[in-house]
Amino acid sequence: MILIGMFDSPFVRRVAISMRVLGVQFEHHNWSVGKDFERIRAYNPLGRVPTLVLDDGESLFESSAILDWLDEAAGPQRALIPPAGAPRRRVLKLVATAVGAADKGVLQVYESVFRPPECRHAPWVERCAAQTGAALAELDAACAACKGAFLVGGRLSQADITATCVMSFAADALGFDAATVPHLRDHAARFEALPEFQEFRISFHRPNS
Ligand SMILES: N[C@@H](CCC(=O)N[C@@H](CS)C(=O)NCC(=O)O)C(=O)O
């Protein structure tokens, strides 16, 4: 199995960490959505990452679809999203909040990476930054409520993995001030210390920094 995409992406990273946690072996192609666009498009018509190429050659893309496949293969006892009921809804809502923050964060990064300076539109970037900030504040409140434990159900779930990846991405790639979300910052720091998270942590160069 081959995971395509760089670990500066919170979407690629949450897939890689989940695969480690679930004990799924994979090769990694450290391809960039910029310079390796055509190579990625050979596996994914959108040219986006993460893309997971299965052993039979089928490729999966969209991180939530990849994670759904991994959970199905792991079975309901080990799945990182609970199979039913209130815990499932809670995990999905926290994951949606974190993924939404990342989506809006990526748009802010692309404004400087893909657009020439004269085409950048500050009100749009400010709107995205406000959306990222509001979503991270919501996650901060959830982390405050769980008081140093896992976010949902007393065990590691996709909510902890995705919230951690997105907190680190926001701090590293956007320069988001983690001190404004201290509960989320501390929650993420606990998980980032684990070997499954450390393995896929890279030092990050922020554009224009
Ligand atoms: N909703 C997608 C988002 C993935 C995403 O935004 N990936 C970025 C890298 S962080 C990408 O492929 N960017 C290139 C592009 O969108 O053209 C997912 O969850 O997989």
Side-chain angles (χ1 to χ4, degrees):
M1 214 173 309
I2 303 167
L3 177 63
I4 300 173
M6 298 173 72
F7 298 130
D8 58 356
S9 160
F11 305 100
V12 176
R13 199 160 174 250
R14 75 188 190 120
V15 168
I17 291 167
S18 300
M19 291 176 87
R20 268 297 173 272
V21 167
L22 294 171
V24 178
Q25 299 302 314
F26 62 96
E27 278 176 56
H28 179 227
H29 284 355
N30 194 38
W31 292 352
S32 146
V33 293
K35 70 179 173 48
D36 299 309
F37 185 48
E38 291 308 331
R39 287 211 279 188
I40 298 169
R41 290 215 301 176
Y43 296 95
N44 173 349
L46 294 163
R48 303 187 86 192
V49 298
T51 294
L52 184 69
V53 186
L54 304 184
D55 290 340
D56 65 2
E58 184 187 1
S59 58
L60 304 180
F61 39 87
E62 190 64 37
S63 58
S64 56
I66 297 171
L67 293 169
D68 185 69
W69 179 80
L70 289 167
D71 268 1
E72 187 184 22
Q77 299 300 320
R78 298 176 62 232
L80 293 166
I81 296 181
R88 179 176 176 83
R89 284 199 306 281
R90 181 75 181 141
V91 169
L92 287 174
K93 184 170 179 180
L94 291 168
V95 168
T97 306
V99 163
D103 281 333
K104 291 295 170 173
V106 168
L107 288 173
Q108 292 169 67
V109 173
Y110 287 178
E111 193 74 8
S112 54
V113 171
F114 286 112
R115 280 187 200 279
E118 64 276 15
C119 296
R120 292 177 196 154
H121 188 52
W124 167 247
V125 178
E126 283 156 21
R127 177 191 163 102
C128 291
Q131 290 167 299
T132 296
L136 294 179
E138 189 83 12
L139 293 173
D140 187 58
C143 291
C146 80
K147 297 187 174 70
F150 296 106
L151 276 166
V152 182
R155 54 161 291 211
L156 179 72
S157 76
Q158 193 53 243
D160 299 299
I161 295 174
T162 302
T164 296
C165 292
V166 173
M167 174 72 260
S168 297
F169 163 76
D172 294 348
L174 306 174
F176 185 87
D177 182 3
T180 61
V181 288
H183 306 286
L184 174 60
R185 175 199 59 196
D186 293 351
H187 193 82
R190 279 196 300 281
F191 288 97
E192 288 291 9
L194 300 175
E196 296 87 347
F197 289 71
Q198 282 287 310
E199 184 179 351
F200 306 112
R201 188 105 163 94
I202 60 160
S203 59
F204 202 95
H205 172 70
R206 203 150 15 105
N208 306 328
S209 67

